Amino acid sequence: MEYSKKRLVILGTGFAGFGVLKNINLKLFDVTVVSERNYFLFTPLLPSTTVGTIEFRSIIEPVRSVGDGVKFHQGRATRLNSEKKTLACMGQFDGREFSVSYDYLVVAVGAVNNTFGVPGVHEHAFFLKDLRDARKIRQRIIDNFESASTPGLDVGEIQRFLHFVVVGGGPTGVEFAAELTDLLEGELAKAYSHLVGAVRITLIEAGKQILNSYDEKISNYATKLFNRRRVEVLTNKPVKIVEEQSLQLQDGTVLNYGLLVWSTGNGQTAFVNSLNFQKDKTGKLLTDGYFRLNNSNDIFAVGDNANMNGLELPATAQVAGQSGKYLGKLLTRIAKNTKIEKLPVFKFKNLGMLAYIGGNRAVADLPAGNAGGFSTWIFWRSAYLTKLVSLKNKVLVLFDWFKAAMFGRDISRF
């Protein structure tokens, strides 16, 4: 039986959007992808790139290499006309507007950094969402050590340059603090031995514990390890205001810093905010069990910009990957004229959560139980290695790990 090709537009190339693209039958769809980046990024290993444990290109996969016939436009959607089934988009580089038509639309644009309205965050903090962010952080770390080495600086200025503050005690913030501590105790301690004693790393969490989505025992284990490694953990400490070289907490405490990394959760993009569909209290698009918006038969939403009505899904790569895979297969069945009501709704399979906490130790919150330590670190690396999308990525990451272990991380600034 032959099927007429449907026009499928996918917005976004994160775990959800890329999952849809990898799991649809390209013989049944004329696929167009619109995204601000032309690659898929394996974000669980992004903190490792900030210190050179893993190189930037080792964890990306070009979208254009996925399949023949897939059209790609680097840009972002700005307006949706659901009656005419068209999208107004803007080019990433020249701002030129263009239009894309669809039969089926998948909204998987992800989320943006949530500043919770704290003044000064956008102007002075570094985020950790993309490779460009990781590269800026990597450069700033070395810049600060080189600046602190300048002759004639007073002690206060040296201490400011070498105070690294991380706001947000979730997995990204914790893993960045862990990787930074590894770099400090390894390569930086050798290259800047005269400055090591002045270095401070502070991890700030507004809630009562870091890794608050994990079991409390895991959080306590990670906190104790950080304390032993001279990482100061401040809990129940919301940030009030951020300035160029300092921040103030709600309790009045003022902290001077040389680098501030902000990793406090997700907010919604301007495009999602513009959509006139049902949303939850956080602004995410509400879907049914098939990821349809308002029970529409042609518009779907998956990933960090969506939430299933009646099923609170965490904003993790695991959820986005599973939902993207499900929707790709669902759309394939629909294109073969299977009625959607005859298909099973999405069910999330919780495989557990992993986080690296430094010193060749990791923690795991799994359905079978909790674990932490060196053996969990081996499991953490093995699990992420198997989840990388291509053989190329697996080989590159393995080589990066080996290179860092044998020869150390590169601390050149270029």
Side-chain angles (χ1 to χ4, degrees):
M1 180 182 297
E2 292 188 2
Y3 306 96
S4 60
K5 273 196 170 187
K6 300 293 185 179
R7 296 169 300 175
L8 170 65
V9 175
I10 303 173
L11 302 180
T13 53
F15 272 89
F18 198 71
V20 174
L21 185 59
K22 292 279 285 184
N23 287 277
I24 58 171
N25 187 336
L26 294 176
K27 295 179 180 179
L28 302 177
F29 292 95
D30 181 8
V31 180
T32 300
V33 179
V34 180
S35 177
E36 294 184 71
R37 63 189 190 199
N38 68 350
Y39 55 85
F40 163 75
L41 170 65
F42 190 78
T43 51
L45 290 176
L46 185 60
S48 297
T49 67
T50 61
V51 299
T53 306
I54 293 175
E55 293 303 324
F56 302 116
R57 292 190 178 275
S58 298
I59 58 171
I60 61 175
E61 184 70 16
V63 174
R64 293 182 182 274
S65 67
V66 172
D68 294 333
V70 176
K71 303 184 193 69
F72 176 79
H73 305 307
Q74 191 157 358
R76 58 186 176 87
T78 56
R79 296 186 309 277
L80 168 66
N81 188 327
S82 57
E83 293 183 359
K84 295 183 178 180
K85 293 190 175 184
T86 60
L87 279 164
C89 303
M90 180 180 292
Q92 180 74 2
F93 306 109
D94 56 10
R96 183 175 299 175
E97 292 191 354
F98 60 92
S99 180
V100 179
S101 300
Y102 66 86
D103 295 307
Y104 296 106
L105 172 65
V106 175
V107 181
V109 294
V112 296
N113 296 285
N114 193 344
T115 66
F116 296 96
V118 176
V121 175
H122 279 295
E123 293 82 0
H124 306 302
F126 286 70
F127 299 107
L128 189 49
K129 277 283 192 181
D130 203 349
L131 286 181
R132 287 167 293 189
D133 302 326
R135 182 179 175 84
K136 291 177 182 177
I137 291 171
R138 188 164 166 177
Q139 291 180 334
R140 174 58 71 88
I141 293 169
I142 304 304
D143 285 353
N144 283 11
F145 272 89
E146 293 296 346
S147 296
S149 299
T150 304
L153 289 184
D154 60 41
V155 174
E157 191 68 0
I158 292 173
Q159 290 175 340
R160 185 190 67 79
F161 274 124
L162 301 181
H163 188 194
F164 302 94
V165 177
V166 184
V167 178
T172 300
V174 165
E175 293 192 332
F176 169 68
E179 293 281 2
L180 181 57
T181 306
D182 286 350
L183 180 67
L184 171 64
E185 295 178 351
E187 289 71 24
L188 296 181
K190 298 174 183 177
Y192 304 93
S193 57
H194 59 297
L195 296 175
V196 171
V199 176
R200 289 176 61 196
I201 300 174
T202 302
L203 178 61
I204 301 173
E205 167 56 38
K208 66 177 183 178
Q209 65 180 45
I210 62 172
L211 298 176
N212 55 19
S213 58
Y214 291 62
D215 186 270
E216 186 176 356
K217 292 181 179 178
I218 289 179
S219 172
N220 293 336
Y221 175 77
T223 301
K224 290 178 181 177
L225 179 64
F226 275 157
N227 289 335
R228 289 201 302 269
R229 303 186 74 204
R230 297 192 306 157
V231 177
E232 184 180 11
V233 178
L234 302 179
T235 55
N236 292 312
K237 300 289 185 181
V239 176
K240 182 179 181 180
I241 188 171
V242 173
E243 297 180 341
E244 186 176 1
Q245 298 180 357
S246 66
L247 62 84
Q248 183 178 343
L249 304 179
Q250 289 286 1
D251 63 7
T253 302
V254 175
L255 299 174
N256 296 326
Y257 65 83
L259 169 67
L260 171 62
V261 175
W262 190 273
S263 178
T264 60
N266 296 327
Q268 299 311 309
T269 64
F271 176 69
V272 169
N273 289 334
S274 73
L275 297 178
N276 189 25
F277 293 106
Q278 187 180 5
K279 299 172 183 175
D280 67 10
K281 60 183 179 181
T282 66
K284 292 183 178 182
L285 297 164
L286 276 177
T287 76
D288 64 7
Y290 302 103
F291 293 110
R292 297 181 297 183
L293 294 179
N294 289 12
N295 293 321
S296 166
N297 288 319
D298 53 19
I299 305 178
F300 302 79
V302 285
D304 291 349
N305 56 220
N307 206 0
M308 190 170 287
N309 203 354
L311 181 63
E312 192 75 20
L313 296 173
T316 63
Q318 183 182 161
V319 171
Q322 288 186 29
S323 58
K325 181 178 181 179
Y326 165 88
L327 184 55
K329 294 183 176 180
L330 180 80
L331 289 170
T332 297
R333 297 286 298 276
I334 293 174
K336 293 180 177 179
N337 298 321
T338 302
K339 289 189 175 181
I340 193 169
E341 290 75 14
K342 294 184 178 180
L343 300 173
V345 298
F346 174 76
K347 291 184 179 179
F348 171 58
K349 183 179 181 181
N350 183 13
L351 302 177
M353 298 178 291
L354 300 169
Y356 179 59
I357 57 174
N360 293 344
R361 292 177 177 86
V363 291
D365 191 345
L366 307 173
N370 305 322
F374 177 78
S375 60
T376 308
W377 172 69
I378 298 295
F379 175 70
W380 173 82
R381 282 198 163 185
S382 301
Y384 281 174
L385 190 65
T386 60
K387 293 296 182 181
L388 287 163
V389 299
S390 69
L391 178 61
K392 178 200 74 173
N393 291 143
K394 292 179 173 66
V395 172
L396 289 175
V397 168
L398 271 175
F399 179 74
D400 289 342
W401 283 336
F402 175 78
K403 182 177 65 173
M406 291 295 294
F407 308 110
R409 304 166 184 85
D410 187 353
I411 57 172
S412 302
R413 202 286 192 194
F414 57 91

